[in-house]
Amino acid sequence: MKKEYIQKKKLPDSPGLYFFLGKNKKILYIGKATSLKDRVKSYFAKDIGSVRSPLIQKMTEDAVSLDFKKTNSVLEALLLEADLIKKFTPPYNTKEKDDKSFNCIILTDEDFPQLLIKRKKDIDISTSTLITNNLSADKAGSKLLTIYGPFASSTQLKVALKIIRKIFPYRDEKCKLNSKRPCFNYSIGLCPGTCIGIIEKHCYAKRIKRLMLLLSGKVSSVVADLEKDMKKLAGKKEFEAAKILRDKIYALEHIQDIALIGEDQKVSGIRIESFDIAHFGGKDMVGVMTVVNDGLIDNAEYKKFIIQNFSSSNDTGALKEVLERRFKHTEWLMPQVLVVDGGPLQLSVAEKIVHQMKLDIKVLSVVKDEHHKPREILGDKETAEKYKKEILLSNAEAHRFAIAFHKKKRRKSFLI
């Protein structure tokens, strides 16, 4: 698709969804935007292949047209995006991301359903149940009413549910039925009182129905349903109850989703990937990759690597293996900054791989003192100064994640 086509399309400067279409209007890719105009325009930047991935660059080349749908808020766009990706499974959405570690919203199938966040890998989609080996015995095998997602950004998902729960308080796993005391969330207005039995089953079922519509991105349907009930209550002169519904309608139509807006500018933001190696005297060697996007930890994109080519201590060899394996995944988003743990040797290994693959990525290394505290950052000085906080955050996360993964692997090796 050519840039001139987008300029003629006259996209609005408002939230919504955009659809890259192939031949016969087949949906190739679905995305959400704070500003449809700015977001779509960013796909035609000269460096889109390095900012996003070669796969996304190919998608823009394969697309022959584009469509869009305006929404009233970024929240609505976020929810509708997940629903439509699940419905249409566009090829470039499913190829771009390994979504097994992404979070889903689930509703449990019981008299008073709980709304929970679970990773996709913990859910058996075919039977709508929670998987046994990844969960505690009381949760394993639980039947689910419905599943929403997966959602690529755990940060956005948590912000979205924070907004939704203020409008429609719901029961979560901390709310135990038939309790003598109300749960904490009830005391701050986020639980409807299912814990102490002050909401009837049919009333809670109605709330769940509205939540299901909202989580499917059908905000206008929820508003219409609320308006219908509000008029009925007003007709019966139940003005206090009508006012509660009026306030919910207002909240849905005037959602303040500034936190979601900040999280939506990833295409033009900075992505930092950090790598670390962990082992015990050369045994059970592992490597990890952590990601910081625009200053925020993005643990849904963390990766683990079991070292295959070395059985004795060789940190630089292990690092080389991990980086080579990472860059074989052209479907993953590409970083603008790559950080390794170590000194000049580790920096040299990373720089050599980036140079060989002709990647436009700044390479840095974090040198530690005898107490394993950051002493200095080697590499491009301008990048090190500009993103020092984010670099050290990503490096600390890589070290923490590597140690945790190594300990887990050692425990398994010991049991075997």
Side-chain angles (χ1 to χ4, degrees), residues 20-226:
F20 281 95
L21 307 175
K23 294 178 181 178
N24 301 318
K25 294 196 173 182
K26 180 185 177 182
I27 299 175
L28 301 179
Y29 187 83
I30 300 174
K32 67 180 178 305
T34 300
S35 166
L36 285 164
K37 181 181 178 181
D38 292 342
R39 185 69 161 183
V40 173
K41 185 181 176 183
S42 70
Y43 281 84
F44 296 88
K46 289 182 181 179
D47 58 348
I48 185 63
S50 60
V51 174
R52 286 294 296 268
S53 71
L55 189 74
I56 288 300
Q57 184 173 359
K58 186 177 184 302
M59 183 274 294
T60 61
E61 293 166 358
D62 289 347
V64 295
S65 62
L66 181 126
D67 202 356
F68 66 91
K69 177 182 175 62
K70 287 175 64 175
T71 58
N72 293 319
S73 66
V74 181
L75 173 64
E76 186 177 352
L78 171 72
L79 298 171
L80 193 54
E81 178 198 36
D83 188 64
L84 292 180
I85 288 174
K86 186 177 180 180
K87 182 178 179 180
F88 292 106
T89 59
Y92 284 95
N93 284 98
T94 52
K95 285 179 185 175
E96 188 192 17
K97 298 176 185 293
D98 174 12
D99 64 2
K100 288 184 180 179
S101 64
F102 288 171
N103 287 316
C104 293
I105 298 172
I106 63 169
L107 285 167
T108 57
D109 188 5
E110 52 186 315
D111 287 346
F112 291 91
Q114 301 173 62
L115 190 152
L116 310 172
I117 299 177
K118 295 293 178 186
R119 296 217 182 257
K120 188 181 177 184
K121 65 182 180 182
D122 293 333
I123 303 167
D124 185 335
I125 304 291
S126 61
T127 60
S128 290
T129 57
L130 295 178
I131 295 172
T132 309
N133 7 356
N134 293 330
L135 296 160
S136 57
D138 62 324
K139 295 282 192 306
S142 296
K143 193 72 180 171
L144 306 179
L145 182 64
T146 189
I147 303 162
Y148 300 93
F151 296 85
S153 170
S154 58
T155 304
Q156 282 189 336
L157 178 57
K158 288 171 184 175
V159 171
L161 286 180
K162 192 174 180 181
I163 294 166
I164 290 168
R165 199 169 190 181
K166 287 178 181 177
I167 303 170
F168 294 116
Y170 55 76
R171 181 186 172 219
D172 65 11
E173 55 196 347
K174 293 179 182 177
C175 176
K176 308 298 181 186
L177 299 178
N178 305 313
S179 299
K180 292 181 180 179
R181 293 182 179 179
C183 67
F184 173 74
N185 284 319
Y186 175 76
S187 66
I188 57 173
L190 299 180
C191 166
T194 46
C195 45
I196 50 175
I198 61 171
I199 183 169
E200 294 181 10
K201 181 181 172 181
H202 75 276
C203 292
Y204 190 68
K206 198 167 192 177
R207 177 166 300 187
I208 291 296
K209 181 184 174 183
R210 285 169 176 160
L211 265 174
M212 290 170 73
L213 283 171
L214 187 55
L215 292 170
S216 299
K218 297 172 182 174
V219 178
S220 57
S221 297
V222 179
V223 170
D225 192 40
L226 290 170

Side-chain angles (χ1 to χ4, degrees), residues 57 73-74 79 101 107 118 156 161 169 202 280 285-286 300 313 318 320 323 336-337 341 354 359 373 382 401 407 413:
Q57 184 173 359
S73 66
V74 181
L79 298 171
S101 64
L107 285 167
K118 295 293 178 186
Q156 282 189 336
L161 286 180
H202 75 276
F280 184 72
M285 292 187 78
V286 298
S313 181
K320 181 175 182 289
L323 291 174
Q336 287 77 56
V337 179
D341 191 79
V354 167
L359 299 171
K373 300 291 183 184
E382 185 180 345
F401 193 46
K407 284 182 178 178
S413 299

Side-chain angles (χ1 to χ4, degrees), residues 181-326:
R181 293 182 179 179
C183 67
F184 173 74
N185 284 319
Y186 175 76
S187 66
I188 57 173
L190 299 180
C191 166
T194 46
C195 45
I196 50 175
I198 61 171
I199 183 169
E200 294 181 10
K201 181 181 172 181
H202 75 276
C203 292
Y204 190 68
K206 198 167 192 177
R207 177 166 300 187
I208 291 296
K209 181 184 174 183
R210 285 169 176 160
L211 265 174
M212 290 170 73
L213 283 171
L214 187 55
L215 292 170
S216 299
K218 297 172 182 174
V219 178
S220 57
S221 297
V222 179
V223 170
D225 192 40
L226 290 170
E227 286 177 340
K228 183 180 174 183
D229 278 5
M230 182 182 70
K231 288 174 183 176
K232 283 182 182 178
L233 290 168
K236 295 177 185 177
K237 297 186 178 181
E238 295 180 27
F239 298 117
E240 283 299 316
K243 182 180 178 297
I244 291 171
L245 296 190
R246 185 196 69 190
D247 291 344
K248 291 185 186 297
I249 292 167
Y250 182 87
L252 284 170
E253 292 180 334
H254 299 82
I255 290 168
Q256 297 298 310
D257 44 14
I258 293 167
L260 289 173
I261 290 169
E263 179 70 4
D264 191 52
Q265 304 303 336
K266 277 188 183 179
V267 152
S268 59
I270 187 77
R271 176 185 172 94
I272 299 173
E273 290 183 1
S274 281
F275 297 82
D276 200 3
I277 304 297
H279 58 86
F280 184 72
K283 295 181 179 180
D284 297 314
M285 292 187 78
V286 298
V288 298
M289 177 186 103
T290 58
V291 179
V292 168
N293 270 316
D294 287 351
L296 297 173
I297 290 170
D298 198 345
N299 51 22
E301 295 200 49
Y302 285 15
K303 307 294 179 187
K304 299 175 181 176
F305 304 85
I306 294 174
I307 304 304
Q308 299 169 347
N309 298 327
F310 301 93
S311 56
S312 59
S313 181
N314 189 331
D315 284 11
T316 53
L319 177 63
K320 181 175 182 289
E321 178 186 323
V322 167
L323 291 174
E324 287 174 342
R325 286 165 61 185
R326 182 265 174 265

